[in-house]
mmCIF file of all heavy atoms in Angstrom:
data_model
loop_
_atom_site.group_PDB
_atom_site.id
_atom_site.type_symbol
_atom_site.label_atom_id
_atom_site.label_comp_id
_atom_site.label_asym_id
_atom_site.label_seq_id
_atom_site.Cartn_x
_atom_site.Cartn_y
_atom_site.Cartn_z
ATOM 1 N N VAL B 36 -155.344 71.171 15.265
ATOM 2 C CA VAL B 36 -154.491 69.996 15.444
ATOM 3 C C VAL B 36 -154.749 69.092 14.242
ATOM 4 O O VAL B 36 -155.885 68.692 14.013
ATOM 5 C CB VAL B 36 -154.845 69.241 16.746
ATOM 6 C CG1 VAL B 36 -153.969 67.995 16.895
ATOM 7 C CG2 VAL B 36 -154.672 70.146 17.956
ATOM 8 N N TYR B 37 -153.719 68.808 13.444
ATOM 9 C CA TYR B 37 -153.924 68.001 12.233
ATOM 10 C C TYR B 37 -153.571 66.539 12.433
ATOM 11 O O TYR B 37 -154.110 65.670 11.772
ATOM 12 C CB TYR B 37 -153.112 68.583 11.070
ATOM 13 C CG TYR B 37 -153.730 69.820 10.466
ATOM 14 C CD1 TYR B 37 -152.960 70.721 9.729
ATOM 15 C CD2 TYR B 37 -155.097 70.095 10.619
ATOM 16 C CE1 TYR B 37 -153.521 71.855 9.169
ATOM 17 C CE2 TYR B 37 -155.668 71.235 10.066
ATOM 18 C CZ TYR B 37 -154.886 72.104 9.340
ATOM 19 O OH TYR B 37 -155.448 73.227 8.787
ATOM 20 N N TYR B 38 -152.622 66.276 13.321
ATOM 21 C CA TYR B 38 -152.222 64.893 13.586
ATOM 22 C C TYR B 38 -151.914 64.748 15.068
ATOM 23 O O TYR B 38 -151.417 65.676 15.704
ATOM 24 C CB TYR B 38 -150.927 64.519 12.843
ATOM 25 C CG TYR B 38 -150.985 64.595 11.346
ATOM 26 C CD1 TYR B 38 -150.563 65.741 10.680
ATOM 27 C CD2 TYR B 38 -151.414 63.506 10.591
ATOM 28 C CE1 TYR B 38 -150.588 65.815 9.291
ATOM 29 C CE2 TYR B 38 -151.444 63.570 9.204
ATOM 30 C CZ TYR B 38 -151.024 64.726 8.557
ATOM 31 O OH TYR B 38 -151.053 64.790 7.197
ATOM 32 N N THR B 39 -152.184 63.568 15.609
ATOM 33 C CA THR B 39 -151.583 63.213 16.890
ATOM 34 C C THR B 39 -150.926 61.855 16.698
ATOM 35 O O THR B 39 -151.438 60.996 15.977
ATOM 36 C CB THR B 39 -152.590 63.144 18.058
ATOM 37 O OG1 THR B 39 -153.322 61.932 17.968
ATOM 38 C CG2 THR B 39 -153.558 64.305 18.029
ATOM 39 N N THR B 40 -149.776 61.690 17.306
ATOM 40 C CA THR B 40 -149.010 60.465 17.129
ATOM 41 C C THR B 40 -148.612 59.920 18.495
ATOM 42 O O THR B 40 -148.393 60.687 19.427
ATOM 43 C CB THR B 40 -147.732 60.755 16.301
ATOM 44 O OG1 THR B 40 -148.118 61.360 15.076
ATOM 45 C CG2 THR B 40 -146.958 59.482 16.005
ATOM 46 N N VAL B 41 -148.556 58.613 18.585
ATOM 47 C CA VAL B 41 -148.033 57.972 19.788
ATOM 48 C C VAL B 41 -146.805 57.176 19.382
ATOM 49 O O VAL B 41 -146.829 56.472 18.367
ATOM 50 C CB VAL B 41 -149.064 57.017 20.423
ATOM 51 C CG1 VAL B 41 -148.462 56.320 21.638
ATOM 52 C CG2 VAL B 41 -150.326 57.753 20.802
ATOM 53 N N VAL B 42 -145.734 57.309 20.156
ATOM 54 C CA VAL B 42 -144.524 56.557 19.880
ATOM 55 C C VAL B 42 -143.970 56.040 21.204
ATOM 56 O O VAL B 42 -144.240 56.617 22.261
ATOM 57 C CB VAL B 42 -143.495 57.449 19.125
ATOM 58 C CG1 VAL B 42 -143.052 58.606 19.999
ATOM 59 C CG2 VAL B 42 -142.304 56.651 18.638
ATOM 60 N N GLY B 43 -143.260 54.935 21.159
ATOM 61 C CA GLY B 43 -142.750 54.328 22.386
ATOM 62 C C GLY B 43 -141.456 54.956 22.868
ATOM 63 O O GLY B 43 -140.944 55.910 22.280
ATOM 64 N N ASP B 44 -140.916 54.421 23.954
ATOM 65 C CA ASP B 44 -139.681 54.937 24.529
ATOM 66 C C ASP B 44 -138.479 54.364 23.772
ATOM 67 O O ASP B 44 -137.630 53.700 24.351
ATOM 68 C CB ASP B 44 -139.590 54.561 26.011
ATOM 69 C CG ASP B 44 -140.770 55.103 26.792
ATOM 70 O OD1 ASP B 44 -141.031 56.323 26.691
ATOM 71 O OD2 ASP B 44 -141.442 54.328 27.479
ATOM 72 N N ASN B 45 -138.423 54.627 22.496
ATOM 73 C CA ASN B 45 -137.359 54.096 21.652
ATOM 74 C C ASN B 45 -136.705 55.266 20.927
ATOM 75 O O ASN B 45 -137.377 56.013 20.199
ATOM 76 C CB ASN B 45 -137.985 53.106 20.650
ATOM 77 C CG ASN B 45 -137.005 52.646 19.596
ATOM 78 O OD1 ASN B 45 -136.607 53.433 18.735
ATOM 79 N ND2 ASN B 45 -136.616 51.392 19.652
ATOM 80 N N PRO B 46 -135.390 55.467 21.134
ATOM 81 C CA PRO B 46 -134.755 56.698 20.636
ATOM 82 C C PRO B 46 -134.896 56.895 19.127
ATOM 83 O O PRO B 46 -135.209 58.004 18.683
ATOM 84 C CB PRO B 46 -133.284 56.534 21.035
ATOM 85 C CG PRO B 46 -133.153 55.239 21.739
ATOM 86 C CD PRO B 46 -134.482 54.598 21.874
ATOM 87 N N ASP B 47 -134.709 55.846 18.322
ATOM 88 C CA ASP B 47 -134.762 56.022 16.866
ATOM 89 C C ASP B 47 -136.157 56.371 16.376
ATOM 90 O O ASP B 47 -136.345 57.253 15.550
ATOM 91 C CB ASP B 47 -134.278 54.742 16.162
ATOM 92 C CG ASP B 47 -132.803 54.482 16.430
ATOM 93 O OD1 ASP B 47 -132.089 55.473 16.726
ATOM 94 O OD2 ASP B 47 -132.381 53.317 16.384
ATOM 95 N N ARG B 48 -137.123 55.635 16.902
ATOM 96 C CA ARG B 48 -138.494 55.889 16.448
ATOM 97 C C ARG B 48 -138.992 57.238 16.965
ATOM 98 O O ARG B 48 -139.748 57.939 16.296
ATOM 99 C CB ARG B 48 -139.408 54.746 16.868
ATOM 100 C CG ARG B 48 -139.139 53.483 16.057
ATOM 101 C CD ARG B 48 -140.229 52.449 16.220
ATOM 102 N NE ARG B 48 -140.161 51.776 17.502
ATOM 103 C CZ ARG B 48 -139.407 50.701 17.752
ATOM 104 N NH1 ARG B 48 -138.648 50.171 16.811
ATOM 105 N NH2 ARG B 48 -139.413 50.148 18.937
ATOM 106 N N LEU B 49 -138.569 57.599 18.179
ATOM 107 C CA LEU B 49 -138.954 58.906 18.709
ATOM 108 C C LEU B 49 -138.384 60.011 17.830
ATOM 109 O O LEU B 49 -139.080 60.980 17.477
ATOM 110 C CB LEU B 49 -138.436 59.039 20.152
ATOM 111 C CG LEU B 49 -138.594 60.387 20.840
ATOM 112 C CD1 LEU B 49 -140.052 60.840 20.833
ATOM 113 C CD2 LEU B 49 -138.103 60.315 22.288
ATOM 114 N N LYS B 50 -137.128 59.834 17.421
ATOM 115 C CA LYS B 50 -136.484 60.830 16.582
ATOM 116 C C LYS B 50 -137.209 60.947 15.238
ATOM 117 O O LYS B 50 -137.484 62.049 14.742
ATOM 118 C CB LYS B 50 -135.022 60.422 16.346
ATOM 119 C CG LYS B 50 -134.144 61.560 15.914
ATOM 120 C CD LYS B 50 -132.695 61.126 15.795
ATOM 121 C CE LYS B 50 -131.977 62.075 14.845
ATOM 122 N NZ LYS B 50 -130.824 61.459 14.207
#
Side-chain angles (χ1 to χ4, degrees):
Chain B
V36 178
Y37 283 159
Y38 299 95
T39 77
T40 305
V41 177
V42 64
D44 301 308
N45 172 291
D47 294 335
R48 288 193 285 274
L49 173 56
K50 200 176 157 206

